[in-house]
């Protein structure tokens, strides 16, 4: 698979006041099932050290089909249903383009 077919994203999620631990638990619950998906290449969760209510998910997928399959799966749909309660602002998805030397 060429680099052009790999989709890499950084998702940025900010917790509502008092919901940091709940958001962390909901995101942590996505890690193992997502990493087992056939279209997944990378799925890593980070919490900002100096702003602990902000989380980043660094993820890579085998093409749009891999990402679409992920979005449709029950474990991600469960998370989507929780987002309004957990997030203080809309989910931000930053799509990345690799730079080669």
């Amino acid at each position: 698979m060429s680099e052009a077919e790999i989709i890499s994203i950084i998702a940025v999620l900010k917790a509502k006041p008092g919901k940091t631990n709940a958001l962390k638990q909901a995101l942590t619950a996505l890690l193992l099932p997502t990493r087992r998906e056939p279209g997944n290449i990378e799925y890593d969760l980070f919490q900002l050290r100096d702003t602990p209510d902000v989380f980043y998910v660094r993820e890579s997928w085998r093409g749009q089909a891999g990402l679409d399959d992920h979005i449709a799966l029950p474990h991600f749909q469960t998370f989507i249903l929780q987002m309004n309660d957990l997030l203080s602002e809309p989910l931000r998805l930053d799509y990345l383009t690799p730079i080669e030397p």
Side-chain angles (χ1 to χ4, degrees):
M1 174 166 288
S2 74
E3 289 294 322
E5 294 171 323
I6 294 174
I7 296 174
S8 296
I9 303 168
I10 294 180
V12 183
L13 305 99
K14 184 173 183 180
K16 284 183 177 178
K19 297 287 186 169
T20 300
N21 285 336
L23 179 57
K24 184 177 184 177
Q25 288 175 350
L27 291 169
T28 300
L30 291 173
L31 292 174
L32 289 179
T34 300
R35 289 174 179 165
R36 292 180 181 133
E37 293 174 34
N40 181 255
I41 298 168
E42 172 187 50
Y43 200 81
D44 294 314
L45 175 62
F46 301 88
Q47 185 174 17
L48 290 186
R49 181 180 55 202
D50 298 329
T51 314
D53 62 337
V54 177
F55 296 86
Y56 284 64
V57 178
R58 185 178 62 204
E59 54 191 279
S60 294
W61 300 94
R62 290 180 179 89
Q64 188 63 47
L67 179 56
D68 291 345
D69 289 348
H70 166 66
I71 292 168
L73 287 170
H75 58 268
F76 193 74
Q77 287 296 310
T78 297
F79 177 75
I80 287 174
L81 294 174
Q82 300 174 64
M83 286 197 324
N84 285 339
D85 183 50
L86 297 175
L87 300 183
S88 67
E89 54 193 50
L91 167 69
R92 188 177 95 211
L93 296 176
D94 295 333
Y95 286 76
L96 306 174
T97 300
I99 308 279
E100 297 296 326

